[in-house]
Amino acid sequence: MRSHLDNKRSVPSQDPEIALQASGPEDWVDLYGDYLFRYALVRVRDPKTAEDIIQETFLAALQSRHQFTGRSSEKSWMVGILKHKVIDHFRKVSREFPADNVELSTVESKEIFDEDGHWKLDENSPAEWINPDRALEKSEFWEVLSRCLSKLSPQMASAFSLRELDELSTEAVCEALKISPANLWVVLHRARMQLRRCIEIHWFGKNMES
Amino acid sequence: MLPKRIEDWLVQNTPPCKEVTQTLSESLDRPIRLRQRIWVRLHFLVCKWCLRYQQQLKFIRKTIRRDPQNLEQNATLSPEARERMKSSLNQKNL
């Protein structure tokens, strides 16, 4: 098996795609490890979890290697496997942390809104963000965003990640997490509320004057 | 500037911010009924905070969808994880 692959690899080729397709499992970690790690980490937020998922991905790839047709690059084939592993992980999380109540929790809501349901006009009500697009050029802004995403509860993070990073439809996210649409919309609402506030406090609040 | 009478009416009769923020979030996930959209628009006339809220949610979506890789641009597998993966691949590949 191995010598066969080694032979293929030694065939001189100008096309890097072909060279990649002929790579053997012993090269996968070096070729794709970091890329897959970043891909998973962006979604699951926890390095240890991301590593586990990638390990599973490599093993699954090894098992189904004969199914790889070479129609896509080996890299995107592996990303495809990884995507499924990430969804499996989120489904597990969703089972472990079932959706609680269907509204903004009372505590959250009392901090943000007054009795009539209007913004309490304090540090919780949305401030004006000056030149938000300029923030995108700063790596510190992305670090803040990354930290704020990490603070979401597992349940919020799963829903948010599938909906915003993978751009799945409501139906697909509900199917993946086994929750109802009404539930999903509330979870996403809470995630966005928390994320917006976190970004404001840690970036736009501080950079308001400059 | 709106006449005071109309402003008061809007404050009293448009849905409260708590509801509007939920609608604004949902509008990113599904089509919202025309009636609801109109109420939100009317609410914006007397609530700059909800209007900001909408703009900021859209900004967050745009940002994260356009460059998700920026969130972890420097992350790499630890040497230990790398070794672990290699050896488990080698074992299974015998």
Side-chain angles (χ1 to χ4, degrees):
Chain A
M1 192 68 173
R2 214 177 239 193
S3 63
H4 168 67
L5 279 165
D6 286 342
N7 280 341
K8 256 168 111 186
R9 269 166 71 216
S10 64
V11 174
S13 165
Q14 295 306 105
D15 185 346
E17 281 299 279
I18 291 175
L20 284 185
Q21 279 169 23
S23 74
E26 64 276 12
D27 305 319
W28 285 351
V29 179
D30 289 327
L31 281 173
Y32 312 122
D34 286 335
Y35 180 83
L36 296 177
F37 182 60
R38 282 192 284 271
Y39 189 97
L41 192 57
V42 163
R43 285 160 176 77
V44 304
R45 315 302 311 156
D46 172 55
K48 185 79 196 54
T49 310
E51 282 173 8
D52 290 347
I53 292 176
I54 288 158
Q55 169 115 345
E56 282 175 35
T57 301
F58 281 141
L59 294 179
L62 190 62
Q63 271 168 11
S64 60
R65 193 151 50 123
H66 59 279
Q67 288 166 9
F68 173 61
T69 56
R71 248 180 299 163
S72 57
S73 74
E74 195 170 60
K75 186 165 153 187
S76 48
W77 171 63
M78 283 202 194
V79 171
I81 298 174
L82 176 59
K83 269 187 185 175
H84 283 105
K85 296 286 173 200
V86 169
I87 290 181
D88 288 346
H89 165 74
F90 285 149
R91 185 173 297 137
K92 235 184 291 164
V93 168
S94 173
R95 269 204 306 267
E96 271 172 58
F97 303 88
D100 40 17
N101 49 0
V102 180
E103 258 190 273
L104 267 185
S105 81
T106 333
V107 188
E108 268 172 304
S109 160
K110 275 198 180 136
E111 264 180 40
I112 302 169
F113 301 108
D114 65 21
E115 285 157 20
D116 300 325
H118 294 291
W119 294 102
K120 280 185 174 175
L121 296 182
D122 54 16
E123 69 274 13
N124 285 322
S125 55
E128 199 180 347
W129 292 2
I130 314 283
N131 286 327
D133 285 321
R134 271 223 314 253
L136 304 182
E137 298 152 18
K138 305 218 160 98
S139 61
E140 296 91 339
F141 170 77
W142 289 95
E143 282 161 27
V144 166
L145 188 53
S146 178
R147 261 183 286 136
C148 287
L149 279 169
S150 303
K151 285 189 201 158
L152 296 178
S153 72
Q155 188 203 20
M156 286 190 231
S158 315
F160 189 81
S161 170
L162 292 174
R163 180 72 189 118
E164 298 300 335
L165 288 161
D166 294 329
E167 304 190 26
L168 296 185
S169 66
T170 291
E171 294 75 24
V173 180
C174 288
E175 169 58 28
L177 300 180
K178 307 282 179 225
I179 58 175
S180 71
N183 228 313
L184 174 68
W185 290 323
V186 174
V187 172
L188 288 172
H189 169 43
R190 293 173 63 184
R192 288 171 181 139
M193 178 74 76
Q194 185 185 320
L195 190 59
R196 188 213 72 81
R197 194 174 157 217
C198 180
I199 297 170
E200 181 163 298
I201 292 171
H202 295 286
W203 182 265
F204 290 103
K206 283 187 188 151
N207 293 271
M208 216 62 101
E209 272 77 41
S210 59
Chain B
M1 271 306 252
L2 288 169
K4 182 88 176 75
R5 219 155 37 100
I6 297 180
E7 199 182 309
D8 287 346
W9 188 89
L10 287 172
V11 170
Q12 304 250 310
N13 290 280
T14 59
C17 309
K18 192 176 158 180
E19 227 172 89
V20 171
T21 50
Q22 169 83 46
T23 306
L24 291 174
S25 173
E26 280 182 33
S27 73
L28 298 178
D29 305 312
R30 62 160 173 161
I32 297 296
R33 280 170 203 272
L34 181 63
R35 223 168 60 106
Q36 249 179 318
R37 285 213 303 272
I38 293 170
W39 277 120
V40 166
R41 281 309 180 95
L42 290 172
H43 181 84
F44 284 164
L45 292 174
V46 286
C47 183
K48 62 179 176 187
W49 299 277
C50 282
L51 180 59
R52 282 177 192 160
Y53 190 80
Q54 182 193 43
Q55 290 163 344
Q56 293 165 0
L57 288 195
K58 285 185 176 168
F59 169 77
I60 293 170
R61 161 166 286 187
K62 180 187 78 177
T63 299
I64 289 179
R65 286 192 168 180
R66 203 176 49 187
D67 297 302
Q69 69 285 0
N70 281 1
L71 289 166
E72 300 294 345
Q73 38 196 335
N74 301 318
T76 52
L77 278 176
S78 66
E80 301 81 50
R82 213 174 269 276
E83 278 320 302
R84 209 168 50 237
M85 286 177 196
K86 280 187 184 173
S87 71
S88 101
L89 271 174
N90 277 338
Q91 257 173 23
K92 296 269 162 65
N93 192 31
L94 285 176

